[in-house]
Structure formats: C-alpha cells, structure tokens
Amino acid sequence: MGDKRLDLELEEMIRTCVKTEDVPNPELNRKLKATLYQREAVLRGHPAVRQVSLWYLPMILNLITFSLLAVLALLVIENKYLSYLAVGSCLYIGVAGILLTIVGVKRANIKDITICIEKRGALI
C-alpha cells in the first residue's frame, strides 16, 4: 500500500516537471510557418533528387574505349583508307552502343539500378 502511494507521488512529480508554461510568440510562430510553407512550395515545384540509371555506365565506357581506339587507329595505321575504315568502324560501334543503351533502358524499363543525384543539398 505504501508502495502504491510512492508511485503516485513519483508520477505527480514527473507530471509537474514535464509541464511547461512557456508559449512561443504567436508572431514568431506565424513567421516560421510562412517560411516553412515557402520552402515546401519550392521543393514541390522542383524535385530535389534526380535518378540516373547505372545502365548508362557501360555505354559511357564503350564510347570512351572506341573513341580512344579511333584516335589510336588514326595515329598508328599508315594507310589512309584503312585508318579511315578503322575510325569509322570504331565510331559506328560507339554510336550503336549509345542507341542500344537508350532503347534498352526506355523499352525494357530496367531502371531498377539507379543512383540519386542531390540538388540544392537536399536528399529526400
């Protein structure tokens, strides 16, 4: 019985400690709400995060590789026509890789592997 009374006293002490009488200034509260609503409107208008599919990474590596091979073919191959044929083939393969990647990402909907790019320092 004494233990129950001690619990009630302790509970009452906790309630009195937790109660606060401080009320924020209504003008400050309105200003903070207005600022918050403005920021929220800006974020709704412009998405803070943009997603880029990682399927574009092999395309970029393919383009860089075949561009370097095209430059190497121009520098190394002595025969002018053969070097132009090699450069044309390398550029054709690079452009074909770009087109295949874009069509594959759009048609097959393989955007599951993505990275998020932050805008304005806010990652949501």
Side-chain angles (χ1 to χ4, degrees), residues 9-72:
E9 288 176 14
L10 185 60
E11 186 177 330
E12 189 62 37
M13 286 173 52
I14 292 173
R15 287 179 194 256
T16 57
C17 289
V18 172
K19 283 185 183 177
T20 180
E21 307 265 337
D22 296 336
V23 177
N25 186 359
E27 184 65 30
L28 177 64
N29 200 14
R30 281 194 295 269
K31 285 181 184 179
L32 288 174
K33 281 183 181 179
T35 305
L36 181 66
Y37 292 144
Q38 286 174 349
R39 286 185 183 176
E40 187 177 310
V42 167
L43 287 176
R44 275 195 203 133
H46 304 286
V49 176
R50 183 168 179 245
Q51 292 185 343
V52 177
S53 177
L54 281 180
W55 289 104
Y56 291 114
L57 184 62
M59 173 195 73
I60 293 170
L61 293 175
N62 178 48
L63 185 63
I64 290 171
T65 302
F66 282 102
S67 297
L68 291 175
L69 284 174
V71 170
L72 184 69

